[in-house]
Amino acid sequence: MEPQEEKPIIYTMENKPIVTCAGDQALFSSLYTPLAQQLPREPVEWRRSYGRAPKTIHLEANFIQFKEEFLPKEGNKALLTFPFLHIYWTDCCDTGVYKAHVRDDIMRWHGTLRLHGSADWVIIVAETSNAKKKSKTNILPRSTLVDRIRNDFCNKQNDRCVVLLDPLKDSSRSRESWGALLLKLRTLLLKSFTQNLGRFEDDMRKLREKRNLPGWSFCEYFMVQEELAFVFEMLQQFEDALVQYDELDALFTQYVLNYGAGDGANWLGPFCSPVNSWTGLLLRRPIDMESRAAIRRGEASLLELRSYLFCRQCTLLIFLGRPWEVTQRALELMHSCVQELCLLEVPVVEGALDCWVFMSCLEVLHRIEGCCDLAQLEANRSHTVGLWAYATDKLKSLGYLCGLVSENGPQSEELNRTVDLLAGLGDEKPETVHSLQSPYKKLKQALSSVEAFERHYLELCHAAEEMYRAIGRMRSAWLVGKSLAEFYLRKGDPGRAEVFLQDALRSYLSEGWSLLVTHTRKQMAECQKRMGRTEDYLQTSVLLASDANLTIEERKHFCQEILIFANRSTDIKAPSACYPSTVQKVAISMNAFAQLMQVQFRPSTAVVHSGAALQVELHLRSLMPVAVHLEQLAVSVHFSLKQGGTDGKARETQSRPGTVLFPLGNSSVIPPSWAVAGPSLVEVQDHSPSDPRILSSAGVVCNNTHLVMRHNDSGPSTDMPSRVSPVHVAVDNGVQMLKTRDVTLLPGNNSIAFSAPSQEPGTYKLCQLCATVGHIQLVLPHISPLVQYDVYSQDPLLSVEPLTDTLLAGLPQRAKVRLETGHYTVKKGDALQLSNIDTMPILTAPSSCFSAAILDSTEELVGQCLLSIHSSEKVTRISLPPTPSHHVLEFQLEMLCVIPLGCDPPEDLGLNEGARHRLRRSSHPNEPMAIITQRMSVDCPWSIYTTPIFLTFHIPFKARHQLLSAGKRKYIQVCLQNVSGVNFRLTDLRLTETQQGPSLKLQSLNAKTQQLVCSQQSVYCVWDVGWKEDKPACLQCVFSANFAPASEKDPAFHPFNYEFQLERVMTLYTMRAEILPAAGEQHCRSGVLCGLEMSITRLVVPDDDEGKADEEGQTEEFPTTNTKLMYKVTDSSGSWAVCGRSSGLVSMPADANANHRVQVELMPLFSGHLPFPNVNVFQYLPNSASSGQPLTNSCVENNALPLPVLLDDQVDAASVPRLGSVRRTATGEQRSGGLHMPRLEPFRPGQVFNHSQGRQVLVLPSVDQHVLEMNAT
Amino acid sequence: MAVCIAVIAKENYPLYIRSVPTQNELKFHYTVHTSLDVVEEKISAVGKAMADQRELYLGLLYPTEDYKVYGYVTNSKMFRKLHNSFTDVMCNPFYNPGDTIQSKAFDGMVSAMMVQAS
């Protein structure tokens, strides 16, 4: 390259590959213009070695006249001046001329090229038709001349000689030959590129391989590789060019890193020399030739090399349209330069690098702004903002260094420093001399005076902050704001500083960065102290004193600040900068001072009766580093009357813990937005004031809806305003206070006890906690969650509770009487008066003493005493022992509920003073127990009203009776069922008559005298009934038994009685039925008619027995001579077919033993032992109109029967009420004077005895065997 | 080696932050906090592109003159170790998600990844 050094080569993008031209210069000159124009017109594909991707390029060339000195010598590394192609031009067409001159000329040219090893050449023969014509005769044919040239020079390389036909004519022939020529030239050029660049790259690689050998120089290598970059740039392959620079960059970086690791290369020596010049980057020229020259000479400093390299990279990146990469690389460059200088231990004047970085940042920004429009810039703020911020930072540190950020201005030492720094900047570069806003001028101005610095610095700061905000990098913006705050603080303007600090503090708080919060808060404290904002300063000091991020000394300092203020005497109005003369108390938030951990009530229910002692214990965790003496600690209490009565019982059902724990939300700096765990829910139950057991409403209340329902986007400022800047806390001077004086809060947990007021019944809510230290009141404005206690006033309450699950009637039962005294104090001589009830006597022996227990309100036994009881005829009087109020008196009473007589518990039994009975399902699934409710009236000393007390008793037994008959003989069966859950022992089962004068002989058929009857089991007892003389119309009997629980060892038996009555017990008729087989047969056969013969016999003569006439009621108006009976044969089993009439009337004479026989035809439908069909007998009462004409017919046809009764139907029990209904209609008609219908009257059970009940008859199968009936059931 | 390791909750508060040397702690806190700007930017940019195949490694977040801040998580062993240890912390039944990390094991692992303070 050396020979060309003096040549003015302009290293711009106008560089083109060099092509030399020899031969006929006139010819070339005439063809130059079309050639230079047409060459780049069409693209060619450049196939690359080493597998690099092929590229399409437009070739251009710089055609120069051939000179021998242009040919590169051995070892020349210059590529930019390398001639890639040599052309020899000739338009010779005369063999003679050729032989005489041209041939020699070409040979010389060719020889020179060969000497220099250049194989990239071409001979162009231009042929004009004019020339051809002119020498037509003695001219060899054209082809011959070209052939000769080819023969002479192009040894097997025929393509090295090209013919251009009529180059200046516009003919198709000419265009064609031009095209061929251009194609050839392009191909050859590319071939030359590939070859020469390939060779160059190989050489370069070899050179790089030697980099670890001594004597290798980075600068030399730099120049070599840069040549390659130049060529690529020349070919407009900027990407490839950039790669060359990046490789150089990486290589250099690697060496610096190696140096740092202790592996120093010799060539790095010059780069380690002290930095004398810190002119920033200069990006306004494509190539900084000065720096390049310095690099070539090996004299460049690190900053120079880096600057030059970056400048080249920047140029290429901008060519590539990637300006944002420039900004990013610029930041990286500056960071790495600072690091590299440090690694290489290069001595740098303090502040020099700041200057360099500052100017470089501005220069890069200027360069970017120069190549982008405003919209692009706006859209890519995120790429440039880093440079702005970096420049701001550097200017700031320069300002601090040069004493430009102090209230007093720079000192002489700082001024000297400024001068040194300015000296290193040198003179302004010519490119920027005329620019008013050049980085050079800016820096010089900024360093020139305090005011100029402030102007420049603020301008930069605001620009950076605004950009950060615009792109949403709020944290970065806050950080810039913070450094602004520091600046203002240094300048003595705390007011402005605080604004920025508050912004930052709010964000740090909301994001939970405790260390940053602490740091910012410390700065805030300084601002507030300087501004004399006492309250805020105290609040901040409290926060700092409790801040665990600070050392204990710092915390003590802030705590001391608080105490100093607090203990300032009121009369000494010491004028101080930070404490203006205030005498009134300053209220600040307690949150940071101490935390309320828990509130504990004693008793733990937090419910007491009025006047009772209630202790409230606060657990406070002091966050101060030292013990703090509180003059007073007070809790203000809000009192509200409890609506809905003063019944303490009802409130106790609400579960309220006696200890309220407070969540530790405010100690850590975890932001409140997620420190809130969730809704805090409280269950609320509202009980009916009249009956505490009845719940009138229930609900759930959320205590912290304002937190849970808060809109999340409402911004951080609303969250914790009190922690950013203290707000004024209102001290609640409530009427009622819990107070203690002179408390010393030690660091950590403290427990302070108060005794709470409890005079008035109602609800007391703890509202506010206030600690007084001198002039300072530390206030916890709201105690949350809600802490409250209740004071109630209770009326005396008397209740009687059974000791067992159920009270059983008929047995002595114990019940507990419980007297809750409430506000009433039982005095000596007070007594309970129980009205005596006959059906429920008090069994506790009168005039006796028994024990009673006295419990306090927490159900703890406090005493035992004796009670006396006195019974008179009407009342039972129980004397009560003196009992204090709000205590419980308990004793037991034994009582017996008498079981009422009677078969079924009648619903209307005596309610006047005694028992109320009603049937209901008891808990037992099997049988309901009848219950008796006893009402006891008690007169209490505290009330003029009588207190009713209801006790419910269950009857353990259930009795049923039944009359059984056998012909004329009668039996009574009683069933006694134990429906209780207890097993009983029974004795003395007895049946007695209640009528006057025993007319009956009752003979017990029961063998056992004692009987065990288990729960849900029954006992049956039977008596044979005989009578002495008169047959009673009605039997009135009482069943009695003694019972005792089977579990008792020494049983005391108690009676159980069951009274019942039986009517119409005598047997009037007997009925005997017989089935007679068909004549001549021994047995019945199915399908064959047989006869049913009924024989009805009267047993009692009605004349003899008036009672019977009475008994039969309606029959008395009938003549007693003949009684009409109606029989009816029915078959419910379906085994018989009644043929002919199935019912009929018979008239019974009034004689004893009068007999009547009736025959009915039947047909058995099946064979086997068939039960007899049913025969029912009814009393037939003809209508009164026809009563005068007794039926003469002894038998009446069924069909002719004038009864509105369908006797074809089965007559069963169900028919009876139907008949009854008929009868009622009949009587109704009777009253209206209508027809008297005849009617049927059923007999009572036992009045007709059926001898054939349950009999069966054998029926043989039918003789006719061809039908076999199969019944499968 | 790392000079500062921070685990940041998704609400942007530090779950864990440790740095050596400790005298620069405040500066590191500021740096980490400011880097969150870039994290947010990157995450939202990635979210727009493809939410599913989110590359967990965020790369270089915030180069400063002295240090470079990288975002979580990468395939490199360093971040994977950190991730595994963090997972262990999260699996601890006594750890309340969202609390700051006070695990000794995690501490030890972080220490191993950090520049040994001389």
Side-chain angles (χ1 to χ4, degrees):
Chain A
M1 190 116 179
E2 283 82 35
Q4 280 77 40
E5 205 166 349
E6 61 274 15
K7 265 181 75 92
I9 299 170
I10 309 300
Y11 288 93
T12 64
M13 292 325 300
E14 300 308 312
N15 275 352
K16 293 166 189 172
I18 290 171
V19 176
T20 64
C21 298
D24 192 340
Q25 288 301 319
L27 174 67
F28 166 69
S29 305
S30 68
L31 295 179
Y32 171 78
T33 316
L35 186 66
Q37 277 174 357
Q38 290 190 47
L39 189 65
R41 199 163 284 170
E42 277 179 44
V44 276
E45 196 189 51
W46 185 18
R47 291 205 182 76
R48 319 267 312 270
S49 54
Y50 299 109
R52 281 175 281 193
K55 296 213 165 164
T56 304
I57 56 176
H58 292 264
L59 279 174
E60 283 182 279
N62 193 10
F63 296 94
I64 57 170
Q65 197 179 355
F66 176 78
K67 281 179 185 166
E68 195 182 338
E69 53 262 41
F70 288 171
L71 294 176
K73 295 185 188 71
E74 195 63 36
N76 194 345
K77 299 289 189 298
L79 264 185
L80 215 53
T81 53
F82 185 85
F84 286 95
L85 188 64
H86 308 278
I87 307 177
Y88 190 89
W89 297 88
T90 179
D91 59 351
C92 171
C93 46
D94 191 330
T95 325
V97 179
Y98 171 73
K99 276 189 179 165
H101 307 287
V102 179
R103 187 165 174 236
D104 292 345
D105 198 31
I106 296 178
M107 270 175 86
R108 234 184 351 263
W109 173 76
H110 194 243
T112 317
L113 290 181
R114 214 172 20 205
L115 197 67
H116 285 89
S118 174
D120 306 301
W121 52 267
V122 68
I123 301 166
I124 298 174
V125 183
E127 259 182 27
T128 50
S129 40
N130 295 347
K132 227 193 299 183
K133 275 174 200 159
K134 199 173 71 186
S135 51
K136 203 169 187 174
T137 47
N138 55 348
I139 289 176
L140 284 168
R142 167 187 44 89
S143 54
T144 325
L145 182 67
V146 175
D147 286 343
R148 286 197 71 154
I149 295 173
R150 283 184 180 152
N151 201 30
D152 290 342
F153 301 102
C154 313
N155 190 18
K156 291 175 193 165
Q157 287 177 298
N158 286 345
D159 57 339
R160 292 300 171 111
C161 184
V162 185
V163 181
L164 186 62
L165 294 173
D166 294 335
L168 296 172
K169 278 191 181 171
D170 187 22
S171 66
S172 61
R173 201 158 156 257
S174 162
R175 276 198 297 274
E176 209 174 291
S177 79
W178 264 115
L181 172 74
L182 290 169
L183 190 64
K184 175 68 64 186
L185 283 181
R186 288 183 194 125
T187 315
L188 287 174
L189 257 176
L190 279 185
K191 200 173 158 190
S192 167
F193 284 154
T194 313
Q195 251 173 21
N196 289 302
L197 290 186
R199 200 180 302 134
F200 186 86
E201 279 181 77
D202 286 342
D203 290 345
M204 186 182 86
R205 218 165 278 121
K206 272 180 210 148
L207 184 60
R208 192 166 60 200
E209 295 304 312
K210 292 180 192 157
R211 65 185 180 275
N212 287 329
L213 298 178
W216 189 82
S217 160
F218 177 77
C219 292
E220 271 176 38
Y221 177 73
F222 184 94
M223 289 298 147
V224 172
Q225 188 155 9
E226 192 182 25
E227 280 299 322
L228 194 59
F230 282 153
V231 171
F232 281 125
E233 191 181 347
M234 180 176 76
L235 295 174
Q236 312 225 328
Q237 302 304 306
F238 304 119
E239 196 73 58
D240 291 285
L242 184 61
V243 167
Q244 308 311 317
Y245 284 110
D246 287 350
E247 280 180 12
L248 285 169
D249 191 344
L251 188 64
F252 187 75
T253 306
Q254 191 56 50
Y255 269 96
V256 177
L257 288 180
N258 289 352
Y259 183 92
D263 182 15
N266 287 335
W267 57 264
L268 271 172
F271 293 112
C272 298
S273 55
V275 177
N276 299 320
S277 160
W278 37 89
T279 321
L281 290 175
L282 198 63
L283 303 176
R284 295 172 203 228
R285 9 178 156 160
I287 296 181
D288 182 357
M289 291 312 293
E290 287 172 42
S291 303
R292 190 164 191 275
I295 294 167
R296 189 208 310 281
R297 289 195 302 271
E299 291 166 1
S301 68
L302 184 126
L303 282 183
E304 247 176 327
L305 175 75
R306 281 291 185 191
S307 299
Y308 176 77
L309 199 52
F310 183 76
C311 169
R312 294 297 301 138
Q313 287 168 324
C314 169
T315 307
L316 292 169
L317 281 170
I318 286 172
F319 280 137
L320 283 167
R322 281 144 56 179
W324 314 121
E325 206 177 322
V326 176
T327 58
Q328 185 202 331
R329 279 169 176 246
L331 266 183
E332 278 173 36
L333 166 86
M334 287 173 233
H335 291 157
S336 62
C337 276
V338 173
Q339 288 300 313
E340 281 173 355
L341 286 174
C342 180
L343 269 177
L344 296 178
E345 294 159 338
V346 177
V348 188
V349 176
E350 196 182 2
L353 278 180
D354 296 338
C355 290
W356 182 77
V357 169
F358 175 78
M359 290 172 69
S360 300
C361 282
L362 292 189
E363 178 69 15
V364 172
L365 288 170
H366 180 268
R367 182 77 184 87
I368 296 302
E369 279 161 11
C371 70
C372 296
D373 59 28
L374 204 64
Q376 270 180 305
L377 274 176
E378 286 297 330
N380 288 283
R381 281 292 181 220
S382 60
H383 294 102
T384 52
V385 71
L387 287 171
W388 283 103
Y390 200 19
T392 314
D393 240 28
K394 289 299 167 189
L395 187 60
K396 178 182 155 194
S397 57
L398 276 174
Y400 280 84
L401 197 68
C402 300
L404 297 166
V405 199
S406 62
E407 284 174 82
N408 309 324
Q411 308 296 309
S412 63
E413 188 191 342
E414 290 157 343
L415 285 173
N416 284 340
R417 201 176 282 149
T418 312
V419 170
D420 288 348
L421 283 177
L422 289 176
L425 295 180
D427 293 328
E428 189 162 15
K429 291 283 189 281
E431 285 91 339
T432 61
V433 163
H434 303 295
S435 158
L436 289 173
Q437 287 290 302
S438 71
Y440 181 87
K441 288 200 185 75
K442 270 193 183 173
L443 185 59
K444 268 207 153 165
Q445 274 175 20
L447 295 184
S448 66
S449 73
V450 173
E451 291 74 29
F453 175 80
E454 182 172 347
R455 194 171 38 136
H456 277 103
Y457 177 63
L458 291 183
E459 189 187 320
L460 273 178
C461 264
H462 289 306
E465 201 191 351
E466 262 168 44
M467 274 182 230
Y468 274 134
R469 284 186 194 280
I471 59 170
R473 294 196 182 179
M474 296 314 288
R475 295 176 190 83
S476 312
W478 290 320
L479 199 60
V480 175
K482 272 211 67 188
S483 62
L484 259 177
E486 277 158 30
F487 173 77
Y488 281 125
L489 213 52
R490 286 280 289 258
K491 299 278 284 183
D493 190 352
R496 284 193 185 178
E498 205 202 359
V499 178
F500 290 103
L501 289 176
Q502 276 192 359
D503 251 14
L505 182 59
R506 196 174 294 131
S507 70
Y508 298 147
L509 273 172
S510 76
E511 289 197 335
W513 287 75
S514 65
L515 205 60
L516 308 188
V517 167
T518 308
H519 179 238
T520 312
R521 217 172 244 161
K522 257 165 76 181
Q523 292 174 319
M524 287 269 287
E526 199 188 330
C527 285
Q528 287 160 350
K529 187 172 180 177
R530 284 219 232 162
M531 284 191 290
R533 300 227 313 261
T534 319
E535 209 166 308
D536 295 347
Y537 177 62
L538 287 174
Q539 186 71 72
T540 311
S541 297
V542 171
L543 287 167
L544 286 169
S546 65
D547 198 324
N549 281 326
L550 293 178
T551 60
I552 201 79
E553 280 72 29
E554 284 175 296
R555 290 175 59 187
K556 276 182 183 162
H557 163 74
F558 285 108
C559 190
Q560 214 52 48
E561 290 277 291
I562 303 162
L563 295 179
I564 287 170
F565 176 81
N567 297 328
R568 245 165 12 101
S569 173
T570 46
D571 41 40
I572 301 169
K573 304 238 169 117
S576 155
C578 63
Y579 306 130
S581 53
T582 45
V583 275
Q584 72 204 60
K585 296 201 170 182
V586 177
I588 54 179
S589 167
M590 187 189 269
N591 278 332
F593 176 77
Q595 286 177 320
L596 186 57
M597 305 297 288
Q598 66 174 50
V599 174
Q600 205 168 4
F601 284 105
R602 269 190 221 110
S604 63
T605 50
V607 177
V608 290
H609 54 78
S610 59
L614 179 73
Q615 286 252 318
V616 183
E617 194 176 322
L618 298 185
H619 290 250
L620 271 180
R621 175 182 287 173
S622 169
L623 301 171
M624 291 297 109
V626 292
V628 178
H629 176 79
L630 305 181
E631 282 155 31
Q632 177 180 288
L633 184 66
V635 184
S636 66
V637 175
H638 179 261
F639 168 72
S640 61
L641 270 174
K642 191 78 175 181
Q643 59 272 58
T646 51
D647 187 2
K649 267 281 193 192
R651 221 163 302 134
E652 273 172 41
T653 52
Q654 289 184 26
S655 61
R656 180 180 300 156
T659 307
V660 181
L661 290 171
F662 292 88
L664 281 177
N666 32 9
S667 67
S668 65
V669 204
I670 289 186
S673 44
W674 42 89
V676 174
S680 103
L681 299 176
V682 175
E683 200 182 312
V684 173
Q685 295 182 347
D686 186 15
H687 292 265
S688 158
S690 56
D691 187 355
R693 285 170 300 183
I694 296 173
L695 189 66
S696 43
S697 74
V700 173
V701 172
C702 176
N703 279 336
N704 54 351
T705 39
H706 61 292
L707 293 177
V708 179
M709 306 292 285
R710 184 184 49 200
H711 199 251
N712 271 337
D713 303 333
S714 58
S717 56
T718 54
D719 284 348
M720 293 296 292
S722 62
R723 300 169 72 201
V724 177
S725 64
V727 287
H728 295 273
V729 267
V731 184
D732 179 12
N733 289 314
V735 251
Q736 282 188 302
M737 289 265 199
L738 311 180
K739 279 186 195 171
T740 45
R741 301 196 73 82
D742 293 324
V743 184
T744 300
L745 278 189
L746 299 172
N749 290 335
N750 296 269
S751 134
I752 302 115
F754 299 89
S755 58
S758 61
Q759 267 68 45
E760 288 288 310
T763 301
Y764 294 77
K765 191 171 85 180
L766 307 192
C767 300
Q768 213 179 56
L769 185 61
C770 178
T772 311
V773 186
H775 302 303
I776 300 177
Q777 282 190 316
L778 296 148
V779 182
L780 182 65
H782 303 288
I783 296 178
S784 171
L786 188 70
V787 182
Q788 61 181 31
Y789 64 91
D790 292 322
V791 175
Y792 64 90
S793 158
Q794 192 197 355
D795 288 330
L797 190 70
L798 182 70
S799 60
V800 180
E801 294 157 17
L803 285 179
T804 48
D805 285 352
T806 52
L807 289 173
L808 290 176
L811 287 172
Q813 300 286 297
R814 296 186 81 82
K816 186 168 77 177
V817 179
R818 182 179 160 91
L819 170 63
E820 290 175 38
T821 55
H823 59 70
Y824 182 79
T825 308
V826 180
K827 298 175 286 290
K828 194 170 164 57
D830 282 343
L832 296 176
Q833 285 203 352
L834 281 68
S835 56
N836 287 352
I837 313 164
D838 295 339
T839 51
M840 194 190 73
I842 306 289
L843 295 184
T844 308
S847 316
S848 67
C849 290
F850 56 95
S851 170
I854 299 175
L855 314 173
D856 67 5
S857 55
T858 55
E859 302 281 319
E860 265 179 56
L861 187 70
V862 292
Q864 290 248 341
C865 60
L866 288 177
L867 289 186
S868 60
I869 182 164
H870 298 282
S871 277
S872 67
E873 196 180 331
K874 289 272 185 195
V875 293
T876 303
R877 185 186 159 85
I878 302 168
S879 305
L880 298 174
T883 312
S885 59
H886 298 291
H887 276 62
V888 177
L889 185 68
E890 276 185 357
F891 56 89
Q892 290 186 1
L893 279 183
E894 193 170 32
M895 58 202 76
L896 178 75
C897 176
V898 177
I899 302 175
L901 285 175
C903 21
D904 287 321
E907 300 203 6
D908 50 352
L909 204 76
L911 248 177
N912 33 15
E913 178 51 38
R916 191 194 301 163
H917 303 258
R918 70 195 138 97
L919 263 175
R920 59 151 211 219
R921 303 285 312 174
S922 76
S923 54
H924 250 293
N926 313 21
E927 276 288 336
M929 275 203 276
I931 61 168
I932 306 166
T933 305
Q934 296 283 7
R935 181 180 185 273
M936 200 157 69
S937 304
V938 186
D939 287 322
C940 308
W942 55 82
S943 169
I944 56 165
Y945 300 106
T946 302
T947 310
I949 285 171
F950 294 96
L951 289 174
T952 302
F953 290 88
H954 295 257
I955 302 174
F957 294 107
K958 196 172 177 182
R960 285 191 310 271
H961 65 273
Q962 200 178 1
L963 180 72
L964 305 172
S965 306
K968 283 182 170 181
R969 300 187 65 173
K970 296 289 168 183
Y971 304 90
I972 294 173
Q973 179 192 307
V974 175
C975 168
L976 187 67
Q977 190 182 1
N978 177 3
V979 287
S980 74
V982 186
N983 298 341
F984 288 110
R985 200 180 298 282
L986 296 175
T987 57
D988 287 339
L989 302 169
R990 204 172 291 163
L991 189 70
T992 48
E993 215 178 341
T994 54
Q995 275 150 319
Q996 293 296 319
S999 60
L1000 291 180
K1001 281 194 291 183
L1002 292 169
Q1003 190 184 347
S1004 171
L1005 302 177
N1006 309 309
K1008 285 186 179 170
T1009 54
Q1010 275 215 351
Q1011 191 95 34
L1012 185 71
V1013 53
C1014 296
S1015 171
Q1016 304 299 327
Q1017 302 296 319
S1018 301
V1019 164
Y1020 291 86
C1021 318
V1022 179
W1023 280 268
D1024 186 351
V1025 185
W1027 32 85
K1028 285 168 184 168
E1029 38 216 51
D1030 296 336
K1031 292 172 182 171
C1034 171
L1035 300 182
Q1036 288 184 340
C1037 303
V1038 173
F1039 167 80
S1040 64
N1042 287 333
F1043 68 100
S1047 56
E1048 277 183 28
K1049 281 259 173 74
D1050 185 17
F1053 286 94
H1054 295 272
F1056 174 78
N1057 292 318
Y1058 172 60
E1059 202 176 59
F1060 58 93
Q1061 184 172 329
L1062 288 168
E1063 288 175 340
R1064 287 189 246 179
V1065 293
M1066 304 310 290
T1067 310
L1068 301 178
Y1069 301 96
T1070 61
M1071 207 276 297
R1072 206 178 285 270
E1074 205 65 50
I1075 290 180
L1076 307 171
E1081 293 275 350
Q1082 232 179 349
H1083 291 286
C1084 297
R1085 281 188 183 276
S1086 71
V1088 178
L1089 279 178
C1090 53
L1092 171 72
E1093 192 183 78
M1094 292 169 285
S1095 157
I1096 304 172
T1097 311
R1098 181 192 282 272
L1099 293 180
V1100 181
V1101 182
D1103 283 354
D1104 299 349
D1105 194 358
E1106 282 167 36
K1108 189 215 166 239
D1110 286 341
E1111 202 180 69
E1112 289 178 352
Q1114 264 93 15
T1115 59
E1116 59 199 335
E1117 53 189 290
F1118 289 88
T1120 50
T1121 46
N1122 280 342
T1123 310
K1124 286 200 173 60
L1125 297 176
M1126 182 172 175
Y1127 68 87
K1128 183 167 162 49
V1129 181
T1130 55
D1131 173 39
S1132 55
S1133 63
S1135 17
W1136 299 97
V1138 182
C1139 304
R1141 43 170 206 267
S1142 63
S1143 60
L1145 286 177
V1146 291
S1147 177
M1148 290 299 291
D1151 307 332
N1153 299 323
N1155 186 292
H1156 207 291
R1157 283 169 188 274
V1158 184
Q1159 197 156 8
V1160 175
E1161 290 209 310
L1162 291 174
M1163 187 197 282
L1165 299 175
F1166 305 106
S1167 56
H1169 286 281
L1170 299 184
F1172 272 45
N1174 297 334
V1175 179
N1176 298 85
V1177 178
F1178 301 93
Q1179 205 165 352
Y1180 181 76
L1181 306 174
N1183 58 37
S1184 51
S1186 62
S1187 64
Q1189 335 172 305
L1191 284 172
T1192 44
N1193 262 354
S1194 60
C1195 295
V1196 180
E1197 278 295 322
N1198 183 20
N1199 295 347
L1201 195 69
L1203 279 177
V1205 181
L1206 295 172
L1207 292 170
D1208 294 87
D1209 289 343
Q1210 299 175 4
V1211 176
D1212 51 16
S1215 327
V1216 179
R1218 206 192 294 178
L1219 283 167
S1221 76
V1222 167
R1223 190 174 65 182
R1224 268 200 295 280
T1225 10
T1227 49
E1229 281 165 0
Q1230 198 171 19
R1231 224 173 277 145
S1232 60
L1235 276 170
H1236 295 273
M1237 301 292 285
R1239 54 190 196 274
L1240 290 177
E1241 180 83 15
F1243 284 105
R1244 290 249 174 170
Q1247 283 188 310
V1248 176
F1249 183 74
N1250 188 350
H1251 283 281
S1252 319
Q1253 187 81 44
R1255 274 188 68 186
Q1256 288 185 336
V1257 64
L1258 178 68
V1259 178
L1260 296 178
S1262 148
V1263 193
D1264 192 9
Q1265 292 288 331
H1266 67 268
V1267 178
L1268 180 66
E1269 285 188 27
M1270 296 283 291
N1271 260 19
T1273 50
Chain B
M1 289 297 248
V3 285
C4 173
I5 287 175
V7 182
I8 310 293
K10 67 178 189 300
E11 292 89 358
N12 289 331
Y13 66 94
L15 286 176
Y16 182 92
I17 183 158
R18 207 168 129 209
S19 53
V20 284
T22 38
Q23 63 265 27
N24 270 343
E25 200 182 1
L26 184 66
K27 187 183 163 190
F28 286 127
H29 277 244
Y30 275 118
T31 308
V32 172
H33 182 251
T34 317
S35 321
L36 294 179
D37 272 341
V38 190
V39 172
E40 274 182 358
E41 224 167 69
K42 291 208 175 194
I43 285 174
S44 65
V46 167
K48 272 176 220 152
M50 348 172 201
D52 304 335
Q53 304 172 321
R54 198 163 87 181
E55 175 59 75
L56 293 173
Y57 175 51
L58 299 173
L60 182 63
L61 295 179
Y62 189 78
T64 66
E65 210 166 80
D66 315 308
Y67 304 106
K68 287 186 168 68
V69 186
Y70 290 93
Y72 189 41
V73 165
T74 178
N75 291 331
S76 84
K77 260 189 184 154
M78 185 167 105
F79 279 112
R80 188 178 298 161
K81 263 160 72 187
L82 190 69
H83 196 173
N84 287 344
S85 194
F86 181 71
T87 313
D88 289 347
V89 171
M90 289 295 149
C91 290
N92 179 358
F94 299 105
Y95 175 75
N96 191 10
D99 287 358
T100 49
I101 296 172
Q102 280 158 344
S103 150
K104 271 187 193 165
F106 190 76
D107 230 27
M109 202 278 315
V110 166
S111 303
M113 280 166 58
M114 288 196 139
V115 169
Q116 298 306 311
S118 49

